[in-house]
Amino acid sequence: MKPPVVALWLLRHTVPAEDRDGILGDLEETLRTGLADASPAGMRLWYWRQTFSLAVRFLRERMIERRTTIGQSGALGPDVPSGSVSTLLQDLRYAVRGLIRSPGFSLVTIFTLALGIGANTAIFSVVDGILLRPLPLSEPDRLVALCEINPAIAAFCIGSPPNVEDWDEQAEAIEEFGLGRQWAFTLKGDDGIEGVSGGIATPGLFNVLRLAPALGRLLQPSDVDPGNNHVAVLSHAMWRTRFGADPAVIGQPVVLDGESYEIVGVLASGAEVPRLETVELWAPLHFHPREEQRRAWRGFLVYGRLAPEATLLGAREEMNVIAGRLGETYPETNEGWGISVVPLRDCIVGSVRPTLLIFLGAVGFVLLIGCANVANLLLVRGAGRRCELAVRSALGAGRVRLVRLLLSEALILSVLGGVAGVLLSVVAVNAFVSLAPPGIPRLDEVGVDGRMLVFALLLSVVTTVLFGVVPSLNSTTVDLNQALKEGDPRAAGRSRIGIRGILVVSEVALALMLLVGAGLLTKSFAGLLNWDPGFDRENLLTVWLLTSSPRFQSGEQVVSLHSQAAEEVVSLPSVLSVGKTSAGPLFGGLETDEFVIGGRPDSEPGQRPVVRWYDVGPNYFSTLGVPLLAGRLFTTADVREAPQVAIINKALADRYWIDEDPLGGQVVIHGRTMMIVGVVGNVASFNTGEPVRPEIYWPQMQAPRLATYLLIRTTTDPATLIRPIRDRLRGLDPDMRVAGFTTMDGHIGRQLVRPRFNMLLVGIFASVALALASVGIYGVVSYSVAMRTREMGIRMALGARAVDIVRSVVGRGMVPALLGIGIGLAGAFGVTRLLASMLVGVEPTDGVTFFSVAALLGVVAAVACYVPACRATRVEASVTLRED
Amino acid sequence: MRRESLGEFEQLVLLAIMRLGSDAYGVPIVQEIERRTGRSVARAAVYIALRRLQGKGLVSSWLADPTPERGGRGKRYFRIESAGVELVKESRRALVSMWEDLDPILEDR
């Protein structure tokens, strides 16, 4: 019989080459002659016993021999077959000892890796939690958002209930539909009326999303009927906070908007409607979703669930057909309207996707710079050790062995860097989540988890392989003769300045791109800080009033109640004046509509000019500080019975009354014809560079509504007046809802949160990049100085002046830096376009920023060259020459 | 310099090589020890001992031409070197000296 193949393989890998032939031959000879009487199975067993016995004994023998060799010479022994655990452990032990011997190198490398890996893991965690992970809903890939779209009207993703009812009847690719929207209820409690962030929905909304109740039931089809729709479902949070998690809450009444509703259910913990997460209490629509006059009320978020076999594309095609059919059936409300179908996840996170991808790109740059630095450090170390490696090689260590040693070092460094990076990323993710501006979807789902550890590990391994192997390959092509002849190990690395130069060029280029990005964001932010709105920003306070009690029979009664409220507030000391308005700069909703200019040819609906409109009280402009440019302001005499009047802003006057006097002209909006009696100054847009919109104002008394903002001008810090003002207003009428006290500074601050956050984050990345790049330049220049010590010593001895030496060193060091700046500028020119959406009032190719950043980087690079250059001038010729 | 000393098993291997003369390679060495001592011997232990003895310069070896009955591999023959001979002699001397005058004691037991 023949020896088993596997056994032969094992023997070949354990028995030393010089003994192998004799031993294997002996075994085979015995197998053929000495065991002639044994069965084949018995022979095989015998051979395997011999194999294991030999393998174990020779492995042990090899370890003993190696210990003796190292004890004697301290060098790595001859090449041994790879894959042996003991050899690997030995390499690792050796590498650790080597790293401990040069703590500076080790710490800088680990720190660099930790920064790169930590920042990347943190940002990738955020991107993963928000963009990549599926929504925490049942079969989230089948969920879609549906939007009615009309090219002539701004793109909001909304729809109207009767249309959705028709879709539900006709569509097959989408099996279920649901819709809902926010609805501000007033809730009668023990302390009077208060506002509740509520929502109204069809029962389909909860079915589509497969939300479940914790108690009772959710909305059901019978709740749709207007005679039967006074039921409410609590969010889990509201049930806990306001009802003390009382299970007996089911069946209890609550008073919403003055009417009694029955609580029928509580949503399960964590069950939220995407895009409507703040809703605390759900009720059915207060009208039947088939009610025809609601067809044009496109104010609802619409959700659908694709049928099991359906595709997104198929659903889109089918919905297009349905939209065309509805346009023919209901031309007045539906002509020109299409339907878009988008995956729900895209709809939720689409707005933050560009920003997050920019962050991801920015940290990617940091990692690349970090890697370049690590590669540089390893190269320098490898080159500095050529002599050592040559000696090891002479003592019998083969190339594989040396590469393995260098790889072990890189592996240890990158694992340590990776671990430090993961720790850093946990801190960074927590910081990101707590500092992030409000309104980022799914932020609560962000965290570092097992997947992120895998990500960090992969990053670590990749950096090791890329930046450990490449320098290893370089360092181990050691020509013993050459290395030893040169004697000076530092001289041997000269050939590799090219690779290091390229690394510095790329580091500088990447850092420059990041710095330009940070510079642009900073400039944009500074522009926002200095916003000049065209009115006095100081000492302004806003508060929102809503009166929806059935006690008030007409809108005029409500408006006079609100006027009374304004008078109450102005009677307080420290209050200068109080104005009323439906909305204003940075606060309140913006209401826009088409309008027609009296006496001019009308256009088709959808093609008329669009204007922002406000209803305001008499003191609005004087309180805000907007100047009157022509005509008059509103007075208390502008009541419903008086002639209908309007005031326009300068932007509207300039646009539509180019060479005419707008005073006395007419505008028609909402079917009301108003005469223009005044022109006021523009309020600058907050986003500098954005044009000022045309605006129309009319008196609240002539078109009364149930809600208004009070705009309060004070002589002292407005925040101190919130309590007395609230007390006054509460005392006036218990049914009046008072909410949302905010100072103008608060409004501005809220607008600044997101740009500030963007600026800070990119700024941090850019600073890290700058620091790493300068370390990189410094490292390369000081290395080249160290290599040229002898040359400089001689030059100094021959009379070269210090300034010449410095110039020469800085000059050489600046070449890759300047090259990097050039390449970085070109790259930044292309890359900063991606930032356009984050920039306000600054061009992505802003020359000043580009120039300043290039200059900054140039100075930093020069300093990084200058420090080692100065060291070079302190070289004593006699010392360097004697060293040899 | 420390004097090299021999373990018992190494002595057995050295003696087997001497007995076998020009036919001393793995298989007969194992058989010789087993036959003379009456106990079974692990081949691996023999090969390790041979390797160590060679490392100490007590034996030398050479590889003969390959033969088909050995799977195309040659025999590695061993020969004792003078240092080895010296050491076995030394070892025997020590043992004999230690055995001297012990017969009465052994008989008493």
Side-chain angles (χ1 to χ4, degrees):
Chain A
M1 71 159 278
K2 287 200 155 192
V5 180
V6 181
L8 274 179
W9 179 88
L10 190 61
L11 287 171
R12 240 177 259 131
H13 284 84
T14 47
V15 176
E18 60 273 21
D19 293 340
R20 206 174 293 150
D21 259 20
I23 293 175
L24 290 183
D26 285 357
L27 288 180
E28 191 142 354
E29 185 189 320
T30 314
L31 204 58
R32 288 186 188 217
T33 57
L35 293 166
D37 51 342
S39 68
M43 290 196 285
R44 196 169 295 123
L45 187 67
W46 175 84
Y47 199 95
W48 271 112
R49 270 214 327 259
Q50 300 302 321
T51 303
F52 281 123
S53 163
L54 282 164
V56 171
R57 282 178 197 248
F58 271 107
L59 277 179
R60 207 174 56 192
E61 186 68 7
R62 188 186 300 162
M63 281 170 74
I64 295 169
E65 282 174 12
R66 176 151 320 117
R67 219 172 290 149
T68 327
T69 322
I70 290 174
Q72 283 164 1
S73 67
L76 289 168
D79 255 5
V80 285
S82 55
S84 150
V85 176
S86 62
T87 325
L88 188 69
L89 283 178
Q90 194 202 337
D91 280 351
L92 288 178
R93 257 202 318 266
Y94 202 82
V96 168
R97 256 185 266 142
L99 291 175
I100 291 174
R101 266 203 303 273
S102 32
F105 160 80
S106 308
L107 285 179
V108 169
T109 311
I110 292 170
F111 182 68
T112 305
L113 275 172
L115 270 184
I117 289 173
N120 272 274
T121 308
I123 293 297
F124 189 72
S125 296
V126 173
V127 169
D128 176 63
I130 295 176
L131 295 187
L132 302 182
R133 226 175 295 172
L135 297 174
L137 292 165
S138 160
E139 295 181 85
D141 291 342
R142 286 171 57 202
L143 291 174
V144 292
L146 295 110
C147 329
E148 294 193 51
I149 45 167
N150 185 335
I153 295 185
F156 292 109
C157 192
I158 44 180
S160 84
N163 280 335
V164 174
E165 289 292 309
D166 284 337
W167 300 349
D168 201 4
E169 269 173 23
Q170 300 180 24
E172 282 174 4
I174 298 177
E175 59 179 14
E176 287 171 273
F177 290 87
L179 58 81
R181 63 163 291 152
Q182 281 194 320
W183 196 257
F185 286 110
T186 60
L187 173 69
K188 192 166 200 146
D190 299 337
D191 306 333
I193 299 283
E194 58 186 311
V196 178
S197 166
I200 53 176
T202 57
L205 178 66
F206 304 100
N207 287 339
V208 166
L209 300 172
R210 306 274 190 267
L211 298 183
L215 284 177
R217 63 173 177 88
L218 301 180
L219 299 183
Q220 60 192 32
S222 61
D223 298 331
V224 167
D225 184 12
N228 209 9
N229 64 1
H230 277 36
V231 295
V233 171
L234 303 178
S235 74
H236 203 266
M238 190 184 197
W239 176 60
R240 274 202 329 269
T241 53
R242 198 185 289 260
F243 295 91
D246 179 10
V249 75
I250 304 299
Q252 278 184 20
V254 279
V255 178
L256 299 173
D257 289 350
E259 295 179 26
S260 178
Y261 283 67
E262 182 194 342
I263 298 175
V264 294
V266 176
L267 274 166
S269 170
E272 287 176 341
V273 177
R275 300 187 287 168
L276 292 169
E277 292 87 353
T278 57
V279 170
E280 295 178 296
L281 176 148
W282 288 98
L285 308 188
H286 46 268
F287 53 90
H288 196 285
R290 280 231 143 277
E291 217 172 81
E292 196 46 44
Q293 68 262 36
R294 311 281 182 177
R295 194 172 286 278
W297 186 19
R298 296 183 166 91
F300 291 81
L301 302 175
V302 187
Y303 304 79
R305 184 173 282 270
L306 289 176
E309 300 301 315
T311 62
L312 192 63
L313 214 63
R316 281 182 180 149
E317 279 169 14
E318 187 184 39
M319 294 313 288
N320 268 341
V321 174
I322 293 173
R325 210 179 292 151
L326 290 178
E328 284 166 22
T329 320
Y330 309 101
E332 272 189 21
T333 53
N334 282 36
E335 200 172 342
W337 286 87
I339 303 169
S340 88
V341 185
V342 286
L344 185 57
R345 186 166 69 179
D346 293 358
C347 187
I348 294 170
V349 300
S351 62
V352 297
R353 183 191 298 270
T355 311
L356 285 180
L357 293 184
I358 285 169
F359 291 160
L360 198 59
V363 281
F365 278 23
V366 172
L367 182 68
L368 282 178
I369 296 174
C371 286
N373 247 0
V374 169
N376 230 331
L377 288 164
L378 286 174
L379 269 176
V380 168
R381 185 171 159 81
R385 290 168 73 190
R386 275 169 72 92
C387 201
E388 175 201 334
L389 295 180
V391 171
R392 284 185 192 292
S393 163
L395 288 174
R399 182 166 177 187
V400 175
R401 200 68 207 282
L402 293 181
V403 171
R404 235 165 42 179
L405 174 70
L406 295 177
L407 255 184
S408 311
E409 280 189 0
L411 183 75
I412 290 169
L413 287 174
S414 96
V415 165
L416 288 177
V419 169
V422 167
L423 294 179
L424 190 70
S425 71
V426 173
V427 177
V429 164
N430 288 338
F432 185 98
V433 171
S434 56
L435 295 178
I440 292 187
R442 308 186 71 191
L443 197 60
D444 52 328
E445 296 173 39
V446 168
V448 178
D449 60 8
R451 294 159 45 131
M452 290 311 105
L453 297 184
V454 171
F455 175 78
L457 191 76
L458 274 180
L459 264 185
S460 264
V461 168
V462 169
T463 36
T464 308
V465 170
L466 273 183
F467 301 99
V469 168
V470 176
S472 300
L473 292 180
N474 260 312
S475 308
T476 53
T477 48
V478 181
D479 179 350
L480 171 64
N481 234 340
Q482 187 68 18
L484 289 179
K485 209 183 327 169
E486 282 170 354
D488 181 359
R490 290 162 298 185
R494 197 168 291 154
S495 58
R496 231 150 332 278
I497 190 69
I499 296 179
R500 282 193 294 278
I502 292 169
L503 288 173
V504 167
V505 169
S506 31
E507 275 184 60
V508 171
L510 290 169
L512 185 121
M513 288 190 246
L514 269 184
L515 280 169
V516 167
L520 290 172
L521 289 172
T522 309
K523 191 168 178 188
S524 156
F525 184 74
L528 292 178
L529 274 185
N530 296 325
W531 176 52
D532 176 14
F535 63 83
D536 185 4
R537 291 161 47 161
E538 302 295 311
N539 295 340
L540 272 178
L541 184 69
T542 60
V543 58
W544 190 66
L545 306 181
L546 168 72
T547 309
S548 62
S549 162
R551 281 196 299 121
F552 296 92
Q553 297 298 315
S554 71
E556 278 98 331
Q557 282 179 316
V558 173
V559 174
S560 36
L561 174 70
H562 293 165
S563 299
Q564 231 178 306
E567 281 161 30
E568 277 290 321
V569 173
V570 84
S571 69
L572 278 168
S574 315
V575 175
L576 277 180
S577 66
V578 177
K580 293 188 296 165
T581 179
S582 58
L586 301 191
F587 65 92
L590 290 169
E591 290 163 297
T592 59
D593 266 303
E594 298 180 334
F595 76 107
V596 180
I597 298 172
R600 296 197 192 170
D602 191 5
S603 321
E604 287 292 308
Q607 284 152 27
R608 292 173 181 147
V610 172
V611 71
R612 282 184 181 171
W613 59 265
Y614 308 82
D615 53 76
V616 300
N619 292 331
Y620 174 68
F621 297 107
S622 55
T623 304
L624 192 58
V626 173
L628 176 71
L629 303 177
R632 68 170 177 91
L633 296 176
F634 298 134
T635 68
T636 45
D638 293 315
V639 291
R640 179 162 266 202
E641 299 74 26
Q644 304 287 299
V645 292
I647 291 175
I648 62 175
N649 72 346
K650 188 168 179 298
L652 182 61
D654 289 347
R655 187 126 148 215
Y656 297 104
W657 283 270
I658 296 163
D659 287 321
E660 294 171 67
D661 184 5
L663 294 183
Q666 286 186 327
V667 285
V668 184
I669 185 167
H670 296 169
R672 283 172 53 231
T673 305
M674 293 167 276
M675 191 177 74
I676 298 168
V677 296
V679 178
V680 291
N682 291 331
V683 172
S685 161
F686 177 74
N687 294 332
T688 43
E690 205 175 273
V692 178
R693 311 277 177 197
E695 292 174 345
I696 294 181
Y697 306 85
W698 56 75
Q700 285 186 338
M701 263 311 203
Q702 293 187 340
R705 298 208 291 171
L706 303 183
T708 187
Y709 278 96
L710 293 187
L711 182 68
I712 303 159
R713 171 77 67 187
T714 63
T715 54
T716 56
D717 177 10
T720 61
L721 291 168
I722 292 175
R723 179 166 285 278
I725 291 173
R726 178 179 304 170
D727 292 344
R728 284 285 169 103
L729 295 174
R730 280 260 164 87
L732 195 63
D733 189 304
D735 280 347
M736 186 165 69
R737 190 179 152 197
V738 178
F741 279 96
T742 319
T743 63
M744 184 52 77
D745 284 341
H747 289 299
I748 293 172
R750 208 169 49 198
Q751 299 286 321
L752 289 175
V753 174
R754 195 171 277 222
R756 175 185 287 129
F757 182 72
N758 293 346
M759 175 188 72
L760 274 181
L761 203 58
V762 177
I764 289 171
F765 296 153
S767 318
V768 171
L770 180 66
L772 289 180
S774 51
V775 167
I777 298 170
Y778 174 85
V780 166
V781 175
S782 28
Y783 182 72
S784 80
V785 166
M787 281 188 335
R788 293 169 59 201
T789 315
R790 207 177 345 170
E791 171 203 334
M792 299 197 188
I794 295 170
R795 281 171 66 178
M796 297 282 280
L798 292 176
R801 289 175 307 160
V803 68
D804 296 327
I805 299 283
V806 170
R807 193 178 298 146
S808 148
V809 170
V810 173
R812 279 207 202 184
M814 285 302 281
V815 169
L818 291 178
L819 209 60
I821 289 177
I823 294 174
L825 281 176
F829 198 75
V831 168
T832 49
R833 274 157 226 280
L834 302 175
L835 277 180
S837 64
M838 291 162 115
L839 297 178
V840 173
V842 183
E843 286 298 311
T845 52
D846 182 62
V848 176
T849 309
F850 273 61
F851 178 78
S852 332
V853 166
L856 170 73
L857 205 52
V859 169
V860 169
V863 171
C865 293
Y866 182 74
V867 175
C870 279
R871 207 180 311 133
T873 62
R874 289 195 292 270
V875 169
E876 289 275 345
S878 53
V879 173
T880 46
L881 293 176
R882 209 176 301 139
E883 268 181 9
D884 296 326
Chain B
M1 203 181 137
R2 197 172 64 92
R3 289 253 333 238
E4 208 66 67
S5 68
L6 284 175
E8 189 214 352
F9 194 71
E10 285 174 331
Q11 283 190 50
L12 292 179
V13 174
L14 275 181
L15 294 173
I17 292 172
M18 287 168 76
R19 302 186 77 85
L20 289 167
S22 62
D23 196 32
Y25 71 96
V27 180
I29 294 174
V30 171
Q31 288 169 348
E32 182 70 12
I33 298 173
E34 286 187 335
R35 203 153 45 94
R36 296 260 162 197
T37 62
R39 63 190 198 202
S40 99
V41 170
R43 276 164 186 265
V46 174
Y47 292 124
I48 296 284
L50 285 169
R51 187 174 165 81
R52 286 185 187 165
L53 291 171
Q54 206 174 350
K56 293 176 189 171
L58 305 180
V59 299
S60 59
S61 74
W62 70 97
L63 202 60
D65 290 338
T67 55
E69 63 268 24
R70 291 174 55 89
R73 298 182 180 89
K75 295 173 180 167
R76 178 167 291 278
Y77 285 105
F78 292 88
R79 185 178 62 204
I80 190 156
E81 292 294 316
S82 51
V85 177
E86 276 307 307
L87 216 52
V88 240
K89 280 189 191 164
E90 169 70 31
S91 183
R92 189 180 61 174
R93 224 180 357 256
L95 280 175
V96 168
S97 152
M98 290 300 285
W99 276 110
E100 248 169 42
D101 308 327
L102 283 181
D103 287 353
I105 298 174
L106 284 173
E107 277 160 17
D108 285 354
R109 302 267 158 150

